[in-house]
């Protein structure tokens, strides 16, 4: 049994998806559709940079979705169907890619939503006020306790439960710095601040959640062709209105990726196909479920290897 999984922010690189667009007309059509939806040549930024502009949250989010959907269209041109997957899931913004992949959202609506989401998340907290940090060698329960103990009246919470030894925390900068020091005292292997522009997936993102509630209310959600394993539930959801509500909750809620992978494995998923840029999720999957097989599809040769 397979699951298709879609990467989140941090996977972006200049040039991603360009070879797919050149090799597969259906992949090129995705980038054209995203450009038209946004009223600008995002594809030019994706393929030519500069990386500083591509990494801006408002650009990176629709860019990564476009690359994932282009890779999926390339796979479909080789006979792969979305219904070949028992489940789909995405890491943070990757959940939007997953929803577009299964037809819950149109690609154009998804691109516009991610542009709004990226801007709203960036603007929710003044620059320099928030931070995120990775705590390595520490399980989720311990990391969550470290975050809580470091808060001291500020916001500091576990944001991403990525795999058994990597938890990302988010919140006020001073509180996150306290948590980094505390994690080292409590036996963490490593703890380091991350080069991010805002403290995602914590209570400080409430203004962004409100902006997304308004934006999501204005788009059509359809029943997904394949159940979506939602970040904040770590289980499959198929009801369109529930999926809409969970995307709002996701802005301030934890990304329960480790639990999501374990849930899918528990349902019989033995193969995870990472569709889009990078291989970060595949690495996490292998650390979560050692017996799971992973494949990556971000380049034409990845797609061509299927028929071989």
């Amino acid at each position: 049994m397979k699951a298709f999984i879609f990467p989140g922010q941090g996977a972006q690189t200049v040039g991603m998806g360009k070879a797919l667009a050149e090799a597969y007309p259906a992949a090129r059509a995705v980038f054209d559709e995203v450009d038209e939806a946004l009223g600008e040549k995002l594809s030019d930024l994706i393929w030519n940079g500069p990386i500083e502009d591509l990494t801006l949250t408002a650009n990176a989010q629709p860019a990564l979705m476009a690359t994932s959907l282009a890779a999926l269209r390339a796979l479909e041109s080789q006979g792969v169907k979305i219904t070949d997957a028992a489940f789909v899931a995405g890491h943070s913004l990757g959940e939007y890619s997953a929803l577009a992949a299964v037809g819950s959202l149109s690609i154009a609506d998804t691109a516009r939503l991610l542009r709004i989401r990226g801007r709203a998340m960036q603007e929710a907290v003044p620059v320099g006020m928030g931070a995120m940090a990775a705590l390595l060698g520490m399980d989720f329960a311990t990391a969550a306790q470290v975050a809580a103990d470091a808060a001291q009246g500020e916001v500091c919470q576990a944001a991403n439960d990525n795999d058994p030894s990597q938890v990302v925390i988010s919140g006020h900068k001073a509180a996150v710095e306290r948590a980094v020091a505390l994690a080292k005292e409590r036996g963490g292997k490593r703890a380091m601040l991350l080069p991010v522009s805002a403290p995602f997936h914590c209570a400080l993102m409430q203004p962004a959640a409100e902006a997304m509630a308004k934006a999501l209310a204005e788009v059509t959600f359809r029943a997904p062709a394949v159940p979506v394993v939602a970040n904040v539930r770590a289980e499959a959801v198929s009801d369109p209105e529930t999926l809409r509500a969970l995307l709002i909750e996701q802005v301030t809620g934890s990304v329960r990726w480790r639990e999501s992978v374990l849930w899918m494995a528990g349902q019989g998923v033995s193969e995870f196909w990472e569709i889009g840029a990078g291989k970060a999720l595949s690495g996490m999957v292998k650390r979560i479920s050692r017996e799971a097989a992973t494949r990556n599809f971000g380049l034409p040769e990845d797609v061509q290897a299927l028929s071989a």
Side-chain angles (χ1 to χ4, degrees), residues 206-247:
Q206 186 56 36
E210 291 164 10
M212 289 314 297
K214 183 179 176 185
L216 287 160
E218 295 171 0
V219 300
T220 300
F221 272 72
R222 290 168 288 273
V226 172
V228 180
V229 179
N231 283 186
V232 296
R233 286 265 185 97
E235 62 184 18
V237 178
S238 292
D239 175 67
E241 291 309 311
T242 303
L243 288 166
R244 189 196 308 263
L246 292 177
L247 285 180

Side-chain angles (χ1 to χ4, degrees), residues 199-213:
F200 306 130
H201 298 292
C202 76
L204 295 177
M205 287 287 114
Q206 186 56 36
E210 291 164 10
M212 289 314 297

Side-chain angles (χ1 to χ4, degrees), residues 82-99:
I82 191 66
T83 49
D84 292 341
F87 304 102
V88 298
H91 192 283
S92 191
L93 86 88
E95 190 158 288
Y96 284 78
S97 305
L99 288 163

Side-chain angles (χ1 to χ4, degrees), residues 3 21 35 39 259 305:
D35 285 350
E259 291 176 271

Side-chain angles (χ1 to χ4, degrees), residues 40-298:
E40 66 182 68
K41 277 278 190 182
L42 184 65
S43 58
D44 183 60
L45 176 62
I46 297 169
W47 297 337
N48 301 306
I51 186 63
E52 294 80 12
D53 290 347
L54 179 58
T55 299
L56 292 173
T57 303
N59 293 327
Q61 296 199 18
L64 285 160
M65 181 278 296
T67 304
S68 285
L69 270 291
L72 181 65
R73 294 291 180 263
L75 284 167
E76 289 171 346
S77 74
Q78 300 301 298
V80 172
K81 301 186 292 293
I82 191 66
T83 49
D84 292 341
F87 304 102
V88 298
H91 192 283
S92 191
L93 86 88
E95 190 158 288
Y96 284 78
S97 305
L99 288 163
V102 295
S104 274
L105 289 168
S106 71
I107 288 175
D109 279 344
T110 307
R112 287 187 287 262
L113 285 168
L114 286 172
R115 171 56 56 81
I116 293 166
R117 183 178 185 265
R119 284 180 175 157
M121 292 172 88
Q122 187 61 63
E123 292 167 3
V125 179
V127 174
M129 182 176 155
M132 299 181 79
L135 309 186
L136 307 181
M138 186 169 274
D139 64 34
F140 182 77
T142 306
Q145 188 60 55
V146 164
D149 292 346
Q152 296 179 18
E154 293 185 308
V155 171
C156 188
Q157 61 194 85
N160 297 356
D161 183 8
N162 284 337
D163 65 42
S165 62
Q166 185 193 109
V167 179
V168 174
I169 60 170
S170 182
H172 285 106
K173 189 168 187 286
V176 171
E177 288 172 343
R178 287 193 294 270
V180 166
L182 196 55
K184 291 172 182 172
E185 288 175 19
R186 295 191 183 174
K189 196 170 172 184
R190 281 182 73 196
M192 55 199 174
L193 291 170
L194 297 175
V196 296
S197 55
F200 306 130
H201 298 292
C202 76
L204 295 177
M205 287 287 114
Q206 186 56 36
E210 291 164 10
M212 289 314 297
K214 183 179 176 185
L216 287 160
E218 295 171 0
V219 300
T220 300
F221 272 72
R222 290 168 288 273
V226 172
V228 180
V229 179
N231 283 186
V232 296
R233 286 265 185 97
E235 62 184 18
V237 178
S238 292
D239 175 67
E241 291 309 311
T242 303
L243 288 166
R244 189 196 308 263
L246 292 177
L247 285 180
I248 301 166
E249 194 178 328
Q250 188 220 60
V251 178
T252 56
S254 296
V255 176
R256 297 168 62 186
W257 187 253
R258 177 184 58 85
E259 291 176 271
S260 294
V261 171
L262 286 174
W263 187 89
M264 287 185 275
Q267 303 302 305
V269 172
S270 58
E271 196 168 340
F272 292 81
W273 287 16
E274 183 171 2
I275 299 175
K279 299 182 179 181
L281 296 186
S282 296
M284 292 178 197
V285 167
K286 295 298 282 185
R287 290 188 290 274
I288 295 164
S289 179
R290 293 187 187 281
E291 60 276 12
T294 59
R295 294 190 70 160
N296 300 88
F297 297 94

